Amino acid sequence: MSFLTNLINGISLGSVYAIIALGYTMVYGIAKMLNFAHGDVIMVGAYISFCATQYWHMPAWVSVIVAMAVCTVLGIVIEKLAYKPLRNATSLAVLITAIGVSYLLQNLALLIWSSNTKNFVSIVNFGNLSLFGGKLIISDVAIVTVLCCVVIMLLLTWFTSKTKMGRAMRAVSEDKGAAQLMGVNVNQTISITFAIGSALAAVAGVLLCSTSPVLMPTTGAMPGIKAFTAAVFGGIGSIPGALLGGILLGIIETFGKSYISTELGDAIVFAILIVILLVKPTGLLGKKVNEKV
């Protein structure tokens, strides 16, 4: 049963990575920017949910909505102030700005909430699921995490393919100039993309801290890097690729730590990523794009 337990834990962890990776892949696919501050938006969402339940005594589900609302506004502000002026700048300038925004959010969290570790209380408490006479126990957080990932994936797929704004996002992703000539508001579309990605980051932050109840200003740093790895793994710019990359990354990390080495778990993940990219540079579901020069 240990194999099934590790598999379920890996899928649960991978679902969190997938939700975070969706934010990365949407922003890159549409704005062609790598928002490395995305991991710290996860941390902000977790802190807002923590404050809403512990200090403001809100129900758990309300705290998630509040966290999503705050992170949505934060994502729009970050895009307007930090990334919009760099729309035509070099990739290096965008990267440096993203790192600066990341450190800014971490230090603001340090000033507001201090460096003391907070014990995050899980928002899920309906009880674990026991199978095979108690030999296999699936945590309630794992069930909710996987369900949330599937629902978010289905909703995003429907949104991008069936709605007017979703079609505008795909048009901007293909060619900003042509989309603008066809009447698409590019600035609004990119802002909405950041808003959706940041709202998903809040959900991921709450689920992540419900699984590992430790909250500090650097909570989102490593999960953010791993989720970016998952996005690249699956094919950055591809929504199904973010899901596939996140799930596979979670399973590889869990099995690596369980059967090989706890200390080398992260190294194994990145080593496998290197191998995959050597074989398929665009990721598992990524498409090769020919550029005219």
Side-chain angles (χ1 to χ4, degrees), residues 47 50 113-120 213-217 219:
Y47 267 115
F50 174 83
W113 291 292
S114 79
S115 61
N116 296 330
T117 301
K118 304 288 191 300
N119 293 319
F120 192 93
V214 177
L215 180 58
M216 60 184 72
T219 290

Side-chain angles (χ1 to χ4, degrees), residues 12 34 135 142 185 187 239 288:
S12 175
L34 294 175
K135 294 181 180 179
N185 189 329
N187 290 329
I239 292 177
K288 185 177 180 180

Side-chain angles (χ1 to χ4, degrees), residues 7-293:
L7 180 61
I8 291 167
N9 290 337
I11 293 173
S12 175
L13 178 62
S15 296
V16 175
Y17 290 157
I19 295 172
I20 304 170
L22 285 170
Y24 277 114
T25 207
M26 286 183 67
V27 169
Y28 180 80
I30 294 168
K32 297 296 182 288
M33 290 181 175
L34 294 175
N35 179 22
F36 280 111
H38 193 63
D40 298 288
V41 178
I42 299 166
M43 171 268 298
V44 172
Y47 267 115
I48 296 299
S49 177
F50 174 83
C51 292
T53 53
Q54 298 300 308
Y55 302 147
W56 308 328
H57 307 293
M58 294 181 180
W61 65 273
V62 176
S63 75
V64 177
I65 294 175
V66 172
M68 290 177 67
V70 171
C71 286
T72 297
V73 174
L74 178 62
I76 294 173
V77 170
I78 289 173
E79 191 275 327
K80 293 292 186 186
L81 297 181
Y83 296 133
K84 186 178 178 181
L86 302 175
R87 203 66 65 74
N88 298 316
T90 62
S91 299
L92 182 60
V94 177
L95 176 62
I96 293 171
T97 301
I99 294 172
V101 173
S102 174
Y103 279 112
L104 175 64
L105 292 177
Q106 287 183 24
N107 282 277
L108 285 175
L110 191 65
L111 289 172
I112 297 171
W113 291 292
S114 79
S115 61
N116 296 330
T117 301
K118 304 288 191 300
N119 293 319
F120 192 93
V121 179
S122 174
I123 63 164
V124 184
N125 56 6
F126 60 78
N128 299 332
L129 178 63
S130 179
L131 300 174
F132 306 112
K135 294 181 180 179
L136 178 62
I137 297 176
I138 305 174
S139 70
D140 47 5
V141 177
I143 295 170
V144 171
T145 301
V146 174
L147 288 176
C148 283
C149 181
V150 172
V151 170
I152 288 170
M153 175 69 185
L154 292 174
L155 287 175
L156 268 182
T157 302
W158 170 83
F159 178 79
T160 55
S161 60
K162 300 296 183 183
T163 65
K164 183 178 179 181
M165 180 52 65
R167 289 192 290 270
M169 287 180 175
R170 286 189 292 152
V172 173
S173 175
E174 290 292 330
D175 190 324
K176 290 188 184 70
Q180 195 164 20
L181 289 174
M182 296 300 292
V184 175
N185 189 329
V186 173
N187 290 329
Q188 182 187 58
T189 302
I190 293 176
S191 293
I192 290 174
T193 303
F194 270 84
I196 293 173
S198 299
L200 294 181
V203 175
V206 172
L207 293 173
L208 178 68
C209 289
S210 293
T211 304
S212 303
V214 177
L215 180 58
M216 60 184 72
T218 56
T219 290
M222 184 54 72
I225 293 172
K226 289 180 180 177
F228 173 70
T229 303
V232 175
F233 193 9
I236 193 161
S238 167
I239 292 177
L243 176 65
L244 178 62
I247 298 295
L248 288 177
L249 197 75
I251 292 173
I252 291 168
E253 180 180 339
T254 302
F255 277 93
K257 289 182 176 179
S258 298
Y259 295 112
I260 301 177
S261 170
T262 304
E263 291 80 10
L264 295 176
D266 293 340
I268 293 167
V269 168
F270 294 118
I272 291 177
L273 172 69
I274 292 170
V275 173
I276 293 293
L277 292 181
L278 286 173
V279 177
K280 199 172 189 303
T282 56
L284 295 176
L285 297 183
K287 296 179 180 178
K288 185 177 180 180
V289 178
N290 295 319
E291 294 185 1
K292 294 182 179 180
V293 294

